[in-house]
Amino acid sequence: MRRFFDKALSIFLSFAFVCGMAGCSFRPAQETSDHDVYVIGFSQLGSESDWRIANTKSMNDTFANNPDYELVMDNARQQQENQFAAVRRYILEGVDFIIIAPTVEDGWQTILTEVHDAGIPVIIMDRSVAVDDEDLYLTNIGSDFLRQGNLAVEWLEDEIPEDAEIKILHLQGTIGATAQIQRTKALEDAVAKHPNWEITSQLYGDFTEAKAYEVVTDYLIENSDIDVLYSENDNMTFGAMRALDEAGISYGNGGQVKIITFDATKEALQYCHDGKINLCVECNPMFGPRVKELIENYRNGLPIPKHVYVDESAYTTQNITQEFVDSREY
Ligand code: AHR
């Protein structure tokens, strides 16, 4: 018996010694081990707009405090080469999954081939990529940006008399981004159909308030004859509104310039409710939960559609309530 206790004690001490050296700890049975954590590398393109900030928050909120997942995010500050560097780092670190919100559509073939060769599944989120082989990514979740643009021009067609001559100032987002390409296409197609519609200028605002303020301020020094502002996101609209205010040009309901904006953030909806913006076309950034669902479907071997569009609408001063504005999450 004595020999049995001596042996048990010696086994216990050896185990405790090995654990001490190796840094082991006892875990409750239900606790997830590091091995089970599913690591997602997320290359977010930037923080240029309120939309983007809401989108990042939606992703973080979805995966935060979830012991099964770890979301590692990199902010590329609107530079595609920063996205390439982040994705290559994720490959080296051997993450389980990669999500990319691409700055622009072109230039992804090589890096996506590298990710594919490393056997890591990829979701393209928000905007799209132009690659030869769609099998390089699992799915593309985001907005139907062409539909958004078409909603805007259809509203304008209803709003103005058919033969009215109109001058449109067009504020463009990051050139080559899906949101810019498709919203621009909708407007240019409509202008081609309506000989009495004219785009007086296409100004580059890079989806930021500061850039839009700068270019619109400069533009208004020489040109004040504008009937419509077609602005490819809310933050650029806010910059343009400031420039219009300073130039003494009225806008919104009953004003000289009708304003069309994209995103429909809370601030823009409030302006719309107050009659300062005529049309807010929604671009929904809150798709963290849908991304998680897609990842889970993939992990469970369920089929994944190649394109997933989020639900969106459009709001005017006439159809928006204060209650709705107050309930807006972003
Ligand atoms: O790609 C979505 C667009 O990017 C949003 O309209 C804009 O606000 C953002 O910066």
Side-chain angles (χ1 to χ4, degrees):
M1 195 63 163
R2 173 72 208 241
R3 281 189 59 205
F4 170 79
F5 280 122
D6 282 348
K7 188 149 191 206
L9 182 65
S10 123
I11 290 170
F12 174 76
L13 287 175
S14 324
F15 180 66
F17 176 71
V18 170
C19 273
M21 295 292 286
C24 307
S25 64
F26 294 101
R27 291 170 186 272
Q30 74 276 19
E31 192 179 314
T32 313
S33 74
D34 287 349
H35 183 74
D36 293 323
V37 173
Y38 199 74
V39 180
I40 302 168
F42 172 31
S43 169
Q44 176 59 290
L45 71 88
S47 47
E48 73 286 3
S49 62
D50 297 344
W51 186 100
R52 186 70 47 201
I53 288 158
N55 176 247
T56 300
K57 183 172 182 316
S58 170
M59 293 293 286
N60 282 333
D61 289 353
T62 303
F63 293 100
N65 305 320
N66 186 330
D68 296 335
Y69 288 98
E70 187 186 343
L71 184 75
V72 186
M73 194 194 92
D74 181 87
N75 179 338
R77 301 184 307 283
Q78 298 230 76
Q79 299 300 317
Q80 191 182 36
E81 54 275 28
N82 291 343
Q83 299 208 274
F84 294 164
V87 170
R88 291 204 169 101
R89 221 169 33 244
Y90 295 148
I91 297 174
L92 280 177
E93 287 165 5
V95 298
D96 298 297
F97 206 100
I98 292 178
I99 299 171
I100 301 171
T103 44
V104 290
E105 290 192 355
D106 287 340
W108 292 96
Q109 183 73 31
T110 305
I111 190 99
L112 285 182
T113 306
E114 288 172 35
V115 180
H116 190 257
D117 291 349
I120 304 172
V122 181
I123 285 183
I124 305 297
M125 193 189 81
D126 166 28
R127 303 174 186 172
S128 309
V129 291
V131 286
D132 300 340
D133 179 5
E134 284 203 338
D135 287 344
L136 291 177
Y137 58 87
L138 213 57
T139 184
N140 181 186
I141 175 169
S143 296
D144 185 342
F145 295 108
L146 186 60
R147 178 175 173 271
Q148 293 176 359
N150 286 333
L151 283 176
V153 296
E154 280 159 22
W155 174 84
L156 195 55
E157 282 167 342
D158 287 347
E159 190 66 12
I160 52 165
E162 218 181 304
D163 53 352
E165 304 268 329
I166 53 163
K167 293 191 184 336
I168 305 168
L169 176 61
H170 180 190
L171 255 181
Q172 293 182 295
T174 308
I175 303 299
T178 315
Q180 177 275 317
I181 295 172
Q182 302 294 343
R183 290 169 184 166
T184 292
K185 178 175 167 34
L187 178 64
E188 288 178 345
D189 287 354
V191 168
K193 257 184 22 201
H194 295 278
N196 47 326
W197 290 19
E198 183 198 347
I199 298 177
T200 54
S201 194
Q202 291 182 311
L203 303 178
Y204 178 57
D206 204 16
F207 287 127
T208 70
E209 189 165 335
K211 185 76 190 154
Y213 170 71
E214 182 191 312
V215 295
V216 176
T217 301
D218 278 358
Y219 181 79
L220 294 178
I221 295 171
E222 301 277 326
N223 317 274
S224 57
D225 191 10
I226 309 160
D227 304 300
V228 176
L229 172 71
Y230 182 95
S231 166
E232 290 179 357
N233 88 341
D234 285 352
N235 287 84
M236 292 195 297
T237 304
F238 303 150
M241 284 163 70
R242 198 144 52 90
L244 288 165
D245 282 336
E246 288 173 12
I249 298 173
S250 63
Y251 50 86
N253 265 5
Q256 175 191 321
V257 182
K258 291 186 194 308
I259 297 189
I260 295 172
T261 188
F262 294 86
D263 284 353
T265 56
K266 192 180 193 121
E267 191 176 350
L269 288 177
Q270 187 63 63
Y271 282 126
C272 184
H273 178 268
D274 299 345
K276 304 296 269 180
I277 289 179
N278 300 74
L279 179 74
C280 284
V281 181
E282 186 174 42
C283 183
N284 183 351
M286 312 300 280
F287 38 77
R290 303 257 330 249
V291 168
K292 179 161 171 277
E293 194 184 312
L294 287 167
I295 293 174
E296 273 162 9
N297 286 352
Y298 164 77
R299 295 180 73 187
N300 291 322
L302 296 171
I304 315 271
K306 205 72 210 178
H307 290 275
V308 179
Y309 290 123
V310 292
D311 303 328
E312 289 162 342
S313 238
Y315 307 96
T316 64
T317 311
Q318 288 73 31
N319 71 12
I320 197 171
T321 63
Q322 186 60 50
E323 212 183 349
F324 179 74
V325 177
D326 293 342
S327 68
R328 192 57 147 192
E329 268 183 86
Y330 59 95

